């Protein structure tokens, strides 16, 4: 493995500056450890290791070839039953789209790819959950972040456009959605099936806006019909109610510093009037912002990191932990790791696909040249 020693030498010479940016010591020194301990309840799992959990994940990768963007996306839904290891407990969706450079604004390539990925992930999970009896749906990430996710409709509100060409009337998108929404689960991506019928210039613009509706529809169906629990690794500051109100640092960092035992914090909730809820969702889904989301912090194994657990159905912390705990390996639910690995589209996968495109184009060019010579 190559090591750039010159680079490292220069970066480490700036270590004092870097350390200052992460120096929480002054604030942490002023925290009464006893207060933190009082907010942390130790937990010892006592159960029979039975669980029925649906989970999933998604992945995407992108290729830029000649004058086109190629987006490769996948979503997987898995069912884990401690008493049944059937191979049929698996839903897999995939999608590929090719978009010209002069159609999609480059800085929104990842936004579009991520929205496709998330739609496939949630739809795979929903299809799986609809087929099996389960205790909870477990996802990696944040329920709240799923609801406040930005899409092309939000970008339009702030004067940014994902595409160079093609205008879209939001009322028309809403009309198309209501007329066709019953077919959403008939296709890997319902939005693309609809958009294919539009003229070439507007096709991709319509696709992205309908995709946002499709994403929100599937998310709504999940939250309305099933019990969803999310596990977040994020250390970002918490908006809404805090446990340690007098300290600027996120609660999760304080628990990381002052606790090492398996346990959990008290249950708190997000406030609905914060800044993230001020922008508008498409009108069929505006009600999603009114959902009350609860959360608490937990550590699954001693000396491992702390996670944030979010949920909508008001349950006690130990009720949720007793379902998840039998799946914990090295401080994290192994079922989520399996879902991640099954969905992952690696750079190597993308390179194989790109090479196949190059080979096929060479063959086509060769055939065309021979025909012209004849």
């Amino acid at each position: 493995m190559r090591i750039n020693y010159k680079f490292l030498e220069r970066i480490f010479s700036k270590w004092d500056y870097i350390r200052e940016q992460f120096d929480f010591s002054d604030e942490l020194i002023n925290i009464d450890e006893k207060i933190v301990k009082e907010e942390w309840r130790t937990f010892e799992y006592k159960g029979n290791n039975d669980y029925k959990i649906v989970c999933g994940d998604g992945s995407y990768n992108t290729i830029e070839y000649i004058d086109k963007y190629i987006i490769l996306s996948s979503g997987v839904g898995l069912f884990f039953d401690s008493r049944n290891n059937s191979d049929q407990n698996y839903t897999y969706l995939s999608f590929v789209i090719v978009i010209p450079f002069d159609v999609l604004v480059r800085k929104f390539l990842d936004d579009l790819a991520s929205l496709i990925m998330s739609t496939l992930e949630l739809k795979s999970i929903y299809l799986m959950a609809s087929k099996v009896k389960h205790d909870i749906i477990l996802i990696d990430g944040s329920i709240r972040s799923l609801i406040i996710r930005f899409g092309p409709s939000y970008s339009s509100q702030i004067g940014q456009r994902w595409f160079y060409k093609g205008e879209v009337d939001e009322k028309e998108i809403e009309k198309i959605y209501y007329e066709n929404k019953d077919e959403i689960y008939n296709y890997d991506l319902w939005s693309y099936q609809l958009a294919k019928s539009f003229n070439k210039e507007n096709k991709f613009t319509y696709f992205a806006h309908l995709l946002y509706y499709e994403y929100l529809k599937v998310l709504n169906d999940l939250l309305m019909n099933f019990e969803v629990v999310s596990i977040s690794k994020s250390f970002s500051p918490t908006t809404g109610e805090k446990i340690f109100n007098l300290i600027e640092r996120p609660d999760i960092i304080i628990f990381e510093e002052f606790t090492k035992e398996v346990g959990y914090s008290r249950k708190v909730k997000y406030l609905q009037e914060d800044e993230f809820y001020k922008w508008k969702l498409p009108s069929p889904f505006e009600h999603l912002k009114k959902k009350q989301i609860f959360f608490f912090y937990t550590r699954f194994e001693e000396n491992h990191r702390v996670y944030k657990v979010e949920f909508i159905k008001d349950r006690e912390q130990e009720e949720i932990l007793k379902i998840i705990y039998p799946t914990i390996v090295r401080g994290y639910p192994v079922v989520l790791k399996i879902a991640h690995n099954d969905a992952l589209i690696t750079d190597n996968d993308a390179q194989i696909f790109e090479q196949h495109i190059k080979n096929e184009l060479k063959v086509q060019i060769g055939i065309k040249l021979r025909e012209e010579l004849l």
Side-chain angles (χ1 to χ4, degrees), residues 197-248:
S197 63
F198 294 101
N199 69 60
K200 190 172 182 180
E201 182 177 279
N202 287 346
K203 177 174 67 175
F204 296 109
T205 311
Y206 274 91
F207 163 59
H209 283 260
L210 287 168
L211 174 67
Y212 192 35
Y213 275 66
E214 181 175 8
Y215 165 81
L216 290 169
K217 163 65 173 169
V218 178
L219 174 61
N220 179 72
D221 290 349
L222 273 174
L223 298 181
M224 291 292 290
N225 295 296
F226 303 110
E227 185 173 353
V228 180
V229 175
S230 68
I231 297 178
S232 172
K233 312 179 190 74
S234 173
F235 277 73
S236 60
T238 299
T239 55
E241 185 176 342
K242 287 190 65 181
I243 295 174
F244 304 105
N245 289 308
L246 300 179
I247 302 167
E248 291 185 6

Side-chain angles (χ1 to χ4, degrees), residues 56 133 221 314:
K133 186 177 180 180
D221 290 349
D314 191 4

Side-chain angles (χ1 to χ4, degrees), residues 250-307:
D251 292 335
I252 196 169
I253 292 179
I254 299 170
F255 284 124
E256 282 273 356
E257 180 69 21
F258 289 100
T259 68
K260 301 301 177 187
E261 311 87 359
V262 175
Y264 57 89
S265 73
R266 64 180 161 94
K267 179 173 55 180
V268 290
K269 59 187 178 181
Y270 287 113
L271 302 180
Q272 295 180 336
E273 58 269 19
D274 69 49
E275 62 183 282
F276 289 100
Y277 285 94
K278 291 180 180 177
W279 59 275
K280 291 183 179 180
L281 286 172
S283 59
F285 310 104
E286 187 68 15
H287 65 278
L288 285 172
K289 297 194 301 187
K290 297 179 181 179
K291 286 193 173 295
Q292 181 62 72
I293 302 173
F294 300 91
F295 65 90
F296 64 90
Y297 301 102
T298 189
R299 178 182 286 108
F300 294 113
E301 283 193 27
E302 189 173 355
N303 293 319
H304 283 261
R305 69 182 299 171
V306 174
Y307 294 94

Side-chain angles (χ1 to χ4, degrees), residues 77-104:
L78 302 174
F79 175 52
F80 291 91
D81 183 348
S82 57
R83 298 186 178 185
N84 180 10
N85 294 318
S86 171
D87 292 335
Q88 297 180 1
N89 299 330
Y90 189 94
T91 300
Y92 188 87
L93 302 178
S94 61
F95 183 74
V96 59
I97 188 169
V98 181
I99 305 177
F101 284 175
D102 63 354
V103 171
L104 176 65

Side-chain angles (χ1 to χ4, degrees), residues 153-167:
S153 299
Y154 172 77
S155 297
S156 299
Q157 291 177 41
I158 60 176
Q160 295 186 349
R161 296 172 57 185
W162 285 21
F163 298 91
Y164 293 113
K165 302 176 181 178
E167 296 292 338

